């Protein structure tokens, strides 16, 4: 049993064969996918897919830091409306990206804080994007998690650092605050020694499997379009690092995701 906790199946990359891609995911023994939004349009598309494939695709809504500069007046209010949809399991993909700087860092931080506040009010975990912004991101997430009400479910299950590329020390700091870490294709790359070191250093109970499809395709398909059916390739490498079987890694990481996103495992296993 596997799952893909981060894939963008709503993207146009899959318009020609979306149904076939999803069928291959099921054939690869994936029991569910999580599709986060990156702006309002893709958030709505993710929700539509979750309604079209109930119990198999789950949606998250959010505005990615690279798209913050394109936000219009009222977009956060519109995101609030989407966040109260029953099919939703998380707020994301949100965070900080100082690599491309498509949006000013100050503007990114303002939107990030607003969406963290939305997640806290809705008691939904967050799916976090981070690229070359670890110093600010770790500080913001630490303050946010520590400031949550004592009875909030998010104290135990605050969210996941998607496509984690930071250091093991930073990961262990955030793990102390109960964050999980999404690991994908880069752990399989020939030049992915640093990612493998982090994967080996984290307990399996803190790891989620993800593809970030259509991006970050694992070896040996690197350079081609990614898809959820490749999750077992990622599981196999993490299994090697932890001296477990891929099936054990799949089971543990899927249960991690079920707990984090507060999913009904009985329904999932019958889908």
């Amino acid at each position: 049993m596997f799952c893909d906790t981060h894939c963008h199946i709503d993207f146009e990359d899959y318009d020609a064969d979306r149904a076939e891609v999803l069928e291959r995911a099921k054939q690869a023994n994936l029991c569910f996918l999580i599709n986060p939004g990156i702006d309002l349009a893709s958030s709505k598309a993710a929700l539509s897919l979750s309604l079209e494939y109930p119990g198999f695709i789950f949606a998250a809504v959010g505005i990615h830091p690279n798209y913050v500069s394109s936000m219009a007046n009222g977009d956060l209010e519109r995101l609030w409306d989407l966040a109260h949809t029953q099919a939703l399991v998380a707020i994301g993909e949100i965070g900080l990206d100082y690599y491309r700087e498509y949006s000013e860092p100050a503007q990114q931080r303002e939107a990030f804080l607003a969406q963290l506040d939305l997640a806290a009010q809705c008691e939904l975990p967050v799916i976090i994007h981070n690229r070359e912004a670890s110093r600010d991101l770790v500080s913001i997430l630490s303050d946010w998690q520590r400031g949550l009400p004592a009875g909030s479910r998010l104290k135990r299950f605050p969210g996941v650092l998607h496509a984690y590329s930071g250091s093991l020390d930073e990961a262990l700091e955030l793990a102390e605050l109960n964050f999980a870490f999404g690991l994908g294709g880069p752990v399989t790359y020939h030049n992915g020694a640093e990612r493998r070191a982090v994967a080996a250093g984290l307990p399996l109970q803190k790891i989620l499997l993800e593809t970030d499809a259509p991006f970050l395709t694992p070896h040996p398909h690197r350079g081609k379009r990614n898809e959820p059916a490749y999750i077992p390739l990622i599981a196999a490498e993490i299994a090697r690092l932890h001296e477990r079987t891929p099936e054990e890694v799949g089971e543990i990481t899927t249960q991690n995701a079920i707990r984090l996103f507060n999913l009904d495992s009985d329904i999932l296993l019958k889908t």
Side-chain angles (χ1 to χ4, degrees):
M1 180 172 69
F2 300 98
C3 68
D4 185 348
T5 60
H6 196 114
C7 55
H8 299 282
I9 299 300
D10 61 293
F11 281 14
E12 63 181 11
D13 304 67
Y14 303 102
D15 285 352
D17 62 346
R18 186 171 287 109
E20 291 86 350
V21 167
L22 294 174
E23 182 57 33
R24 285 195 291 273
K26 292 178 181 180
Q27 292 300 316
N29 204 23
L30 271 68
C31 58
F32 67 90
L33 319 174
I34 294 177
N35 192 135
I38 58 170
D39 55 18
L40 281 177
S42 63
S43 293
K44 291 176 182 177
L47 282 168
S48 294
L49 279 173
S50 72
L51 297 175
E52 186 176 352
Y53 296 91
F56 186 62
I57 296 180
F58 295 91
V61 300
I63 300 176
H64 187 289
N66 286 347
Y67 299 94
V68 166
S69 61
S70 301
M71 289 171 59
N73 288 336
D75 276 3
L76 285 175
E77 288 76 11
R78 296 182 186 95
L79 190 66
W80 174 275
D81 292 337
L82 295 179
H84 288 80
T85 306
Q86 188 173 2
L88 199 70
V89 298
I91 301 297
E93 175 178 353
I94 65 174
L96 301 174
D97 191 317
Y98 294 173
Y99 175 73
R100 297 196 183 279
E101 287 196 16
Y102 290 150
S103 305
E104 290 292 330
Q107 190 179 23
Q108 290 185 41
R109 290 190 291 271
E110 181 180 2
F112 186 31
L113 289 167
Q115 292 179 93
L116 287 173
D117 183 57
L118 173 60
Q121 292 186 55
C122 296
E123 287 217 324
L124 289 169
V126 289
I127 298 173
I128 301 297
H129 172 98
N130 171 34
R131 194 164 186 191
E132 297 192 6
S134 292
R135 183 173 180 178
D136 284 349
L137 188 108
V138 171
S139 175
I140 289 171
L141 288 179
S142 297
D143 289 346
W144 176 73
Q145 195 273 354
R146 291 189 174 105
L148 291 166
S152 172
R153 187 179 184 279
L154 298 183
K155 293 292 278 189
R156 292 181 296 126
F157 302 104
V160 55
L161 278 293
H162 149 64
Y164 186 72
S165 60
S167 70
L168 180 58
D169 286 343
E170 288 170 349
L172 294 176
E173 180 181 350
L174 288 167
E176 286 293 317
L177 297 173
N178 296 322
F179 282 94
F181 302 86
L183 303 181
V187 301
T188 71
Y189 296 168
H190 296 307
N191 62 348
E194 291 182 3
R195 303 289 182 92
R196 286 189 287 277
V198 170
L202 285 170
L204 283 175
Q205 289 71 23
K206 292 295 183 183
I207 293 174
L208 303 183
L209 301 182
E210 61 171 57
T211 58
D212 199 21
F215 313 111
L216 300 179
T217 311
H219 178 80
H221 304 290
R222 191 177 185 182
K224 301 176 182 178
R225 183 190 68 174
N226 202 358
E227 60 177 80
Y230 295 154
I231 278 286
L233 296 171
I234 299 163
E237 181 58 24
I238 293 173
R240 185 186 69 81
L241 295 169
H242 283 267
E243 298 183 339
R244 306 290 285 266
T245 67
E247 292 73 22
E248 286 174 324
V249 168
E251 179 70 27
I252 292 168
T253 56
T254 297
Q255 292 299 328
N256 294 344
I258 287 171
R259 287 190 294 270
L260 173 60
F261 296 109
N262 201 23
L263 304 179
D264 188 329
S265 58
D266 291 336
I267 291 176
L268 292 173
L269 295 175
K270 292 176 183 177
T271 301

